[in-house]
C-alpha cells in the first residue's frame, strides 16, 4: 500500500484519513457482517511496517445499502478518521480529551460535518479540527459559522486540517477561503505546515 509506505517512512504524529470505507453484507438491512474495513487494514499495514497508530476519532459519512441478485445486501459506509502514533499516547507525549463529532445543521449531504479533539502535545495545547465544507458558498458559509460557534468556540488555538480531493478543493477554494477567513485562519500558513501525500486514487492525506 503506497500510503502506508509513505506514512511509515515519515512517522507523522497525526494523520487524517478521508473516505476510510467499511463494506458489510447481510441478508436484511442493516447489513452487519464486515467484509472489508479500510481503516483496520490500513492500521495493520502500518503495524506490519513497524509503526503503530491508534484511532482516536471516526466520523461516519455516507451510509448506503442495496440488495444484490445473489440474495444478500451490500452496505457501504464512508468514514473520516483521525489516527495518532501509538507510542506518543503510550509514553504520554500526547494527551487527548473532549472529543466532538458532529454533522452540520446546514448540509446538503450527511458527509458534511466535523470532528474535533483537544490535544496536549509536547507542552503545547490546541484543538484539532477536521472538517468538510459544502461546495456551495450558500452552505459553506453557514457551516463555517456553525464551526465558529461550536468547535472553534474555545480559548485554545484552533488548527483546522485541510484535506480531501485537492482537485475538488481547487474548485471550492473560494468557499473554503471565505470560511477560513471567518475562522480567522490563514490557509497558506496552515498548508505550509503540512506535507501533502497524494495517493493514486486522488485522495490526499495531510500530515505534519
Amino acid at each position: 500500500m503506497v500510503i502506508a509506505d509513505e506514512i511509515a517512512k515519515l512517522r507523522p504524529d497525526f494523520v487524517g484519513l478521508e473516505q476510510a470505507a467499511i463494506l458489510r453484507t447481510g441478508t436484511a438491512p442493516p447489513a452487519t457482517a464486515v467484509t472489508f474495513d479500510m481503516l483496520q487494514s490500513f492500521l495493520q499495514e502500518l503495524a506490519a511496517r513497524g509503526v503503530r497508530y491508534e484511532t482516536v476519532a471516526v466520523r461516519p459519512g455516507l451510509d448506503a445499502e442495496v440488495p444484490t441478485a445473489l440474495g444478500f445486501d451490500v452496505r457501504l459506509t464512508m468514514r473520516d478518521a483521525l489516527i495518532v502514533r501509538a507510542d506518543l499516547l503510550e509514553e504520554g507525549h500526547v494527551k487527548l480529551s473532549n472529543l466532538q463529532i458532529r454533522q452540520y445543521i446546514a448540509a446538503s449531504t450527511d458527509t458534511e460535518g466535523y470532528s474535533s479533539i483537544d490535544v496536549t502535545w509536547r507542552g503545547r495545547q490546541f484543538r484539532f479540527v477536521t472538517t468538510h465544507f459544502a461546495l456551495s458558498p450558500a452552505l459553506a458559509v453557514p457551516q463555517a459559522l456553525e464551526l465558529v460557534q461550536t468547535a472553534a468556540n474555545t480559548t485554545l488555538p484552533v488548527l483546522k486540517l485541510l484535506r480531501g480531493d485537492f482537485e475538488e478543493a481547487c474548485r471550492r477554494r473560494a468557499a473554503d477561503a471565505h470560511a477560513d477567513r471567518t475562522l480567522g485562519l490563514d490557509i497558506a500558513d496552515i498548508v505550509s505546515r503540512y506535507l501533502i501525500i497524494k495517493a493514486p486514487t486522488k485522495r490526499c492525506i495531510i500530515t505534519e
Side-chain angles (χ1 to χ4, degrees):
M1 184 181 289
V2 175
I3 297 177
D5 288 337
E6 294 290 344
I7 295 299
K9 177 181 176 181
L10 296 168
R11 296 174 56 87
D13 296 334
F14 305 93
V15 179
L17 300 173
E18 184 179 48
Q19 298 180 345
I22 182 169
L23 182 67
R24 288 170 282 205
T25 59
T27 56
T32 57
V34 176
T35 301
F36 176 70
D37 186 331
M38 184 178 291
L39 176 58
Q40 188 60 35
S41 295
F42 184 66
L43 294 176
Q44 291 172 351
E45 290 277 354
L46 288 171
R49 289 161 173 76
V51 186
R52 293 184 301 110
Y53 281 81
E54 290 190 16
T55 304
V56 297
V58 176
R59 188 181 65 79
L62 176 69
D63 191 350
E65 183 167 345
V66 295
T68 71
L70 299 176
F72 61 87
D73 286 4
V74 174
R75 178 184 175 193
L76 180 67
T77 305
M78 307 304 290
R79 303 167 298 170
D80 292 344
L82 174 62
I83 62 176
V84 179
R85 228 174 61 220
D87 62 296
L88 298 178
L89 294 169
E90 293 165 354
E91 296 170 9
H93 298 302
V94 169
K95 297 186 183 300
L96 306 173
S97 61
N98 192 28
L99 172 64
Q100 300 180 54
I101 298 175
R102 179 169 174 167
Q103 305 299 125
Y104 288 123
I105 295 172
S108 59
T109 71
D110 61 3
T111 62
E112 294 162 9
Y114 69 81
S115 301
S116 73
I117 197 164
D118 293 350
V119 180
T120 302
W121 179 53
R122 297 173 181 171
R124 292 180 287 175
Q125 289 185 308
F126 60 92
R127 178 163 292 174
F128 191 65
V129 181
T130 66
T131 186
H132 286 169
F133 290 135
L135 293 178
S136 168
L139 289 175
V141 173
Q143 289 171 3
L145 292 174
E146 185 178 340
L147 190 61
V148 168
Q149 295 164 359
T150 54
N153 184 19
T154 175
T155 57
L156 294 175
V158 177
L159 177 61
K160 187 176 86 112
L161 178 60
L162 303 174
R163 57 184 169 71
D165 185 328
F166 273 71
E167 290 183 353
E168 176 184 345
C170 290
R171 294 194 296 271
R172 71 182 186 187
R173 185 174 182 82
D176 265 353
H178 187 125
D180 280 320
R181 283 197 299 274
T182 305
L183 289 169
L185 301 175
D186 183 332
I187 290 179
D189 179 57
I190 292 175
V191 171
S192 70
R193 302 175 196 174
Y194 286 82
L195 170 68
I196 300 175
I197 303 172
K198 194 167 181 84
T201 58
K202 299 183 181 177
R203 297 182 192 126
C204 296
I205 298 173
I206 303 183
T207 64
E208 186 175 20

